[in-house]
Amino acid sequence: MKIYSLLLLLLFHSTLKAEDGYRLWLRYDRVTNSRLLESYARQTRSIALTGNTPTMALAEKELLTALSGLTGRKPEITRQQGATTTLLIETASAKLSKAELSTLGDEGFIIKTTGTGAGQVLVITANTDRGVLYGVFHFLRLLQTQESIASLNIRSVPRMKLRMLNHWDNLDRTVERGYAGFSIWNWHTLPGYIDQRYTDYARANASLGINGTVLTNVNANATVLTPPYLQKVKALADTYRPYGIKVYLTARFSAPVESGQLPTADPLDPRVQLWWKNKISEIYALVPDFGGFLVKANSEGQPGPQDYHRNHAEGANMLADAIAPFKGIVIWRAFVYSAEVSDDRHKQAYNEFVPLDGKFRPNVLVQVKNGAIDFMPREPFHPLFGAMPQTPLLMEFQVTQEYLGQGTHLVYLAPLFKECLDSDTYSKGKGSTVAKVVDGSLQGHALNGMAGVANIGTDINWTGHPFGQANWYALGRLAWDHQLSAAAIAEEWVRMSYTNDPGFVQEITRMMLASRETMVQYMNPIGLHHIMATGHHYGPAPWIADLSRPEWNPVYYHRADSAGIGFDRTSSGSNALGQYHPGAAATWADPDTCPEEYLLWFHHLPWQHRMKSGRSLWNELCHQYNQGVEGVARMQETWEKAGKKTDEQRYRQVKMLLNIQHQEAKWWRDACLLYFQTFSRQPIPAVYGQPEHSLDYYKTLRFPYAPGN
Amino acid sequence: MKIYSLLLLLLFHSTLKAEDGYRLWLRYDRVTNSRLLESYARQTRSIALTGNTPTMALAEKELLTALSGLTGRKPEITRQQGATTTLLIETASAKLSKAELSTLGDEGFIIKTTGTGAGQVLVITANTDRGVLYGVFHFLRLLQTQESIASLNIRSVPRMKLRMLNHWDNLDRTVERGYAGFSIWNWHTLPGYIDQRYTDYARANASLGINGTVLTNVNANATVLTPPYLQKVKALADTYRPYGIKVYLTARFSAPVESGQLPTADPLDPRVQLWWKNKISEIYALVPDFGGFLVKANSEGQPGPQDYHRNHAEGANMLADAIAPFKGIVIWRAFVYSAEVSDDRHKQAYNEFVPLDGKFRPNVLVQVKNGAIDFMPREPFHPLFGAMPQTPLLMEFQVTQEYLGQGTHLVYLAPLFKECLDSDTYSKGKGSTVAKVVDGSLQGHALNGMAGVANIGTDINWTGHPFGQANWYALGRLAWDHQLSAAAIAEEWVRMSYTNDPGFVQEITRMMLASRETMVQYMNPIGLHHIMATGHHYGPAPWIADLSRPEWNPVYYHRADSAGIGFDRTSSGSNALGQYHPGAAATWADPDTCPEEYLLWFHHLPWQHRMKSGRSLWNELCHQYNQGVEGVARMQETWEKAGKKTDEQRYRQVKMLLNIQHQEAKWWRDACLLYFQTFSRQPIPAVYGQPEHSLDYYKTLRFPYAPGN
């Protein structure tokens, strides 16, 4: 009886444990399906894990934690395979042929059922311990998502070499465009204090296959290159190394000047070259596997080679030459647009970079945002993809939701990522997708990859919004395998983060998949873009017209007037379309064939323009905005029903957040329609929700302490 | 067998749960003493809890959570007393006489065993539900610390009316002098999103009896008084109300001007008076139990009545008159010192405020820091205590460790708090302690209290350093009952936060009790003070002499020269001593009778001055600094031994932090001794640790991103 009551007590206690979200998708709660539970317990009864590297020790620890949680039994793990071994974990296992192993590279893995009957053994192997760790996480994912492991033959090799997070984190712990609190890196207490977060961050990334992290903001601070800070960087690199994660830093181009040692940062000046050589030697002496530099140069006020009348290639190559002896790389951002250039901002990066194709050193990648403007709710793919065949282009997605509802909107981003990756550049004929450009397969670049601007902060659940975790997860999973579907990734994440309950999984996956389109509708329907408030980018402000640089003003982008609305980027306008391969541009060029989701991106059209729905453009705008608001209401209904199947804490969190999202969707709708109405001079049809306030009211709203600015 | 294995699994799993510190002292882990466990289970077998206010619901929830954890059995809680009731929880219980209840006020409680045999019932009661909630937390503390509850007769009434936290939190979430991350209040997502932290913060405070919180920095921002922010304040007040916690705000004196509505903030201007009346009405319409304002005026650049040639009483009274109809209060800080006044900073608050005694409205308190300079490692009590008999003085302690090692030093502050509270002002004869001044008993002030500048932030464990929690705990416990000893409070906290293991409790309590003296020794021995670095106040910089205001320079305070060191505050010097009652000042005035801990605070003495140890002053300085460093080494040894009895995560955290503390203790010693040596021109005796670096090295250290600045 005592045993029973203690058991009940423990069970009760475990339900009391708050789901604060810290555990992410690595919760490892008990498997509820008893048949699977038995099968998992049987297969993991006796584990042999050979090799004693720090990474193998992490694999062992993960198995111990995970299987104890999932099966309720602490597994027995030995160092050597025996007669009873059911699960064998080792590098270059002799259970597999050399041929099988040879195609795995240094990060791929195999999970394979070998032998039969009593001699049946499940093998997780790879050529390196990192590969084995990835395999272990994959195996645990199968258990977490209640997949059968009865007969496995899984071979998984990452489709990209660099799978990275970019942190726009400052040394004072503020995060540019961060909505989950502040930077997880407490630079002040480093290197002496290694926060538990640092380890758990690496573990979560390793579980996805993320293998690189840029610790500092692209709007860079040269202080991170000073000796005391390099000691701190070393401490982080030492922590991350066993997880297969390399650290990178942003290099402020003017660092030689700011260090006080040189009067110039001209990349062709031998003193500058020597300064960087010495600095890089200093870094590698502390961090032998340092990844390299990410550089934002001559963009939005950052210093760069153009300050000395050198081009981007000359700037990047100077750093690349200095870092090449250490096998480091330079990632040079293509996000440039100039106050002095009057041409459509959409075109400037292409104009600047295409002539430089072929001029970069082999250890340079150019990092290109998914679209030509700036992480809008929806953008056509960036015209640079496919246009620089001799240069490896690294994809830059934004995981943090700068323009997508920031910290309070539930927007699942995998559909956005996939939309871009699956876009066809036609650069080498039909099927030349963006994914093939960035994974290097189209033009044969061994150096290739994908980066996400992280949404991670000090909030206990890492991402502020509980569903923000799904976007970190999706970025990592797609960097490993961009052929995964958005739905499959969502389902995995829901199962691991909440429950395997089929109804819950189905409903919440559906809600997530629809969320991005809903957000587009209540923010930027029909190809509208860049109509958010200035500075913090929080909320709508399409009326802004007084900023010093024309391309910072929303009116630059929507161009609403009494005749109509939209940006003419055809040959009669800015001809940004001319930068795309004709195969891609053809349908976009004609308003009759252009998908309506891009209509006002490429065309200025009259308010009476007839849409496919039969509505006028104005009425369609009203319709779309209302669809967006209603979409959020449907999300609220879904959550209200599904919420009963989840824990109290996250249920209440998401409920409050969806309520904010609904309020803000109405705010976007009402403010934007009232403003555009001053041009269209037409009523908002009575079937739709009518604005709660006047346009003047929306114009007076101020948010002086909005985060992330 | 299945039951057993599941049980083992659950037990195992609970050990896997990381001790991240979020639970503070409310961990409620299983009682390990089986005899007590049985007794607790028996006494809580059948609980009757009457009354259905939100506060009673919180008491019920707390009992449910706590007893499930402590006893392993979910308790049965009914709404009505029955024949089997073992624990009765209600307001104004008829089990007690009216006389017994009459002395409890509206916050005191009684926990009393009534009846005998089968009719024995334990009663927790009070005149209000808040009192009952405090009683419940006290009862749970008895269980957590493994006290017998066989026969209880506890009557507890708080000795002070206002038991407050002051948060120096800014609206952008930075925290002035905060070392535990950032502000827990995410103003941006309020009022729509109520973070779990907000509730758990209130719960932790209620467990200590803290009944007020000032949400905003004393260096105030008028934005918090604007309508959108008052909606956010309301949301917090609504959350905190059931926990018995009132919210307060800091009032920026120039708010009427900054609001854009008035050309002046002159407190005697009727328009200004009307502005505040209207603003206060607006606040109370949203927050009917709003506590009132905390004001820092005409201090360190803050606006105030002196800007209009009015005195502090005129400023405070204007606000007091406006808030009086709502029963609100004004707390006016005495922390003032002027750039224009050349007199010893030590004397300025006294000179400014004593003449105003008797001129403040009855709903004004003057808030006085424990010492006259600024939260130094050791200060004599502030001369204002006892010197303003007609004015209630509220104690201001600093819980955040601005000058006491900031986020990485283990310093238990109860001994510092007690040292001040137990100091004798002699203002109404011997025994007129500071405690009696601030609890109102000495001069019969019904309005009285104590505030702590909070050390709370977004770090998962709330306070950054795991032992910082003990200082929050001690502040709350002493505000309730300043007669508790520092040792008793430490022991309670250790038992609740770690374990009841007697060896661990004894060793760690001993370590905590010695920690403050150790910190004084390695930072500010023999009465030295204010010799820290400028701005961030991190680390030593006794050499600073070039700041614009003389009293901001460390050299102003230590006055080291070839003749000696120390600040002559006797009648031959600044005569700050003259502000103290002769009973208090007598021993301090003569270097031969002055306790050596205050020696250089009050006297400038030659390097050869003979100390009680027989050492010269210089050698004693060397000795003390070394004692401090060795004290930290002893803490490291203690932790290393005791660490085996605690969890891995906190063991490693504290170990890393003690290592930093040891490094920094040496830094303080070496930097200060090398600098003072330039005056004493004597060697550091060879028996002591010798400096690792040169004085120039220490002078060049820079910390541009030190937190809390």
Side-chain angles (χ1 to χ4, degrees), chain B residues 130-198:
Chain B
R130 277 177 298 146
V132 170
L133 182 63
Y134 292 146
V136 165
F137 274 116
H138 188 100
F139 172 70
L140 293 173
R141 187 185 302 126
L142 297 178
L143 272 56
Q144 288 171 279
T145 56
Q146 304 207 348
E147 294 284 322
S148 165
I149 58 166
S151 179
L152 294 177
N153 190 1
I154 294 168
R155 180 184 165 281
S156 185
V157 180
R159 291 185 195 275
M160 301 196 208
K161 186 177 169 70
L162 304 172
R163 305 177 299 278
M164 304 181 69
L165 289 182
N166 289 185
H167 288 266
W168 290 357
D169 290 19
N170 299 312
L171 301 182
D172 65 1
R173 301 191 71 183
T174 56
V175 179
E176 186 163 328
R177 313 309 176 187
Y179 312 102
F182 293 80
S183 175
I184 59 169
W185 293 300
N186 184 344
W187 289 98
H188 182 67
T189 57
L190 279 167
Y193 187 75
I194 305 297
D195 196 283
Q196 182 66 33
R197 282 254 185 191
Y198 306 160

Side-chain angles (χ1 to χ4, degrees), chain A residues 449-502:
Chain A
M450 184 158 129
V453 180
N455 62 345
I456 295 163
T458 50
D459 280 0
I460 291 180
N461 73 0
W462 300 86
T463 58
H465 199 304
F467 279 73
Q469 297 180 357
N471 295 330
W472 176 7
Y473 185 86
L475 187 284
R477 294 288 286 144
L478 284 172
W480 184 276
D481 183 2
H482 55 68
Q483 294 191 5
L484 291 170
S485 73
I489 295 171
E491 183 177 327
E492 274 180 8
W493 179 81
V494 171
R495 287 178 182 274
M496 294 163 83
S497 304
Y498 286 89
T499 169
N500 280 288
D501 177 279

Side-chain angles (χ1 to χ4, degrees), chain B residues 38-297:
Chain B
E38 199 187 338
S39 141
Y40 296 164
R42 205 175 336 112
Q43 192 69 65
T44 59
R45 198 176 52 232
S46 173
I47 303 175
L49 183 143
T50 74
N52 57 1
T53 66
T55 301
M56 289 304 281
L58 292 176
E60 180 175 357
K61 195 174 167 201
E62 196 68 30
L63 281 164
L64 197 67
T65 307
L67 294 175
S68 301
L70 289 163
T71 71
R73 199 176 54 87
K74 188 176 167 180
E76 184 197 319
I77 302 184
T78 64
R79 285 264 150 265
Q80 213 173 353
Q81 196 196 346
T84 62
T85 299
T86 52
L87 178 59
L88 174 63
I89 296 163
E90 59 184 358
T91 54
S93 176
K95 296 265 181 193
L96 279 92
S97 70
K98 286 224 163 62
E100 281 178 290
L101 290 168
S102 67
T103 60
L104 293 181
D106 56 3
E107 295 188 302
F109 59 83
I110 284 173
I111 306 176
K112 189 172 179 178
T113 310
T114 65
T116 53
Q120 194 247 51
V121 179
L122 184 62
V123 182
I124 302 177
T125 192
N127 289 319
T128 64
D129 53 3
R130 277 177 298 146
V132 170
L133 182 63
Y134 292 146
V136 165
F137 274 116
H138 188 100
F139 172 70
L140 293 173
R141 187 185 302 126
L142 297 178
L143 272 56
Q144 288 171 279
T145 56
Q146 304 207 348
E147 294 284 322
S148 165
I149 58 166
S151 179
L152 294 177
N153 190 1
I154 294 168
R155 180 184 165 281
S156 185
V157 180
R159 291 185 195 275
M160 301 196 208
K161 186 177 169 70
L162 304 172
R163 305 177 299 278
M164 304 181 69
L165 289 182
N166 289 185
H167 288 266
W168 290 357
D169 290 19
N170 299 312
L171 301 182
D172 65 1
R173 301 191 71 183
T174 56
V175 179
E176 186 163 328
R177 313 309 176 187
Y179 312 102
F182 293 80
S183 175
I184 59 169
W185 293 300
N186 184 344
W187 289 98
H188 182 67
T189 57
L190 279 167
Y193 187 75
I194 305 297
D195 196 283
Q196 182 66 33
R197 282 254 185 191
Y198 306 160
T199 309
D200 290 329
Y201 164 83
R203 188 174 147 244
N205 280 330
S207 80
L208 305 174
I210 288 171
N211 64 2
T213 178
V214 185
L215 302 171
T216 46
N217 191 356
V218 289
N219 292 323
N221 183 328
T223 303
V224 81
L225 301 176
T226 61
Y229 275 80
L230 290 179
Q231 291 292 340
K232 299 168 192 276
V233 171
K234 170 185 162 49
L236 289 176
D238 290 344
T239 305
Y240 295 159
R241 187 172 299 111
Y243 292 95
I245 296 169
K246 285 186 181 181
V247 304
Y248 298 73
L249 294 175
T250 47
R252 187 161 167 90
F253 205 78
S254 54
V257 178
E258 284 159 36
S259 73
Q261 292 169 286
L262 292 182
T264 176
D266 180 351
L268 300 196
D269 188 308
R271 293 169 301 173
V272 173
Q273 293 165 359
L274 184 64
W275 190 94
W276 282 107
K277 264 189 191 160
N278 290 339
K279 183 52 69 184
I280 286 166
S281 295
E282 186 187 346
I283 295 172
Y284 276 91
L286 296 167
V287 186
D289 58 350
F290 178 67
F293 291 123
L294 172 64
V295 186
K296 174 179 181 176

Side-chain angles (χ1 to χ4, degrees), chain A residues 659-701:
Chain A
N659 192 38
I660 292 173
Q661 186 171 359
H662 191 239
Q663 292 299 322
E664 295 191 353
K666 286 193 281 189
W667 171 30
W668 272 93
R669 177 193 68 187
D670 296 347
C672 291
L673 289 180
L674 282 172
Y675 168 71
F676 291 131
Q677 194 177 37
T678 65
F679 302 103
S680 79
R681 307 216 169 262
Q682 292 178 54
I684 296 165
V687 293
Y688 302 130
Q690 299 296 311
E692 266 181 76
H693 303 279
S694 69
L695 178 57
D696 279 346
Y697 167 84
Y698 295 112
K699 284 185 174 178
T700 58
L701 295 177

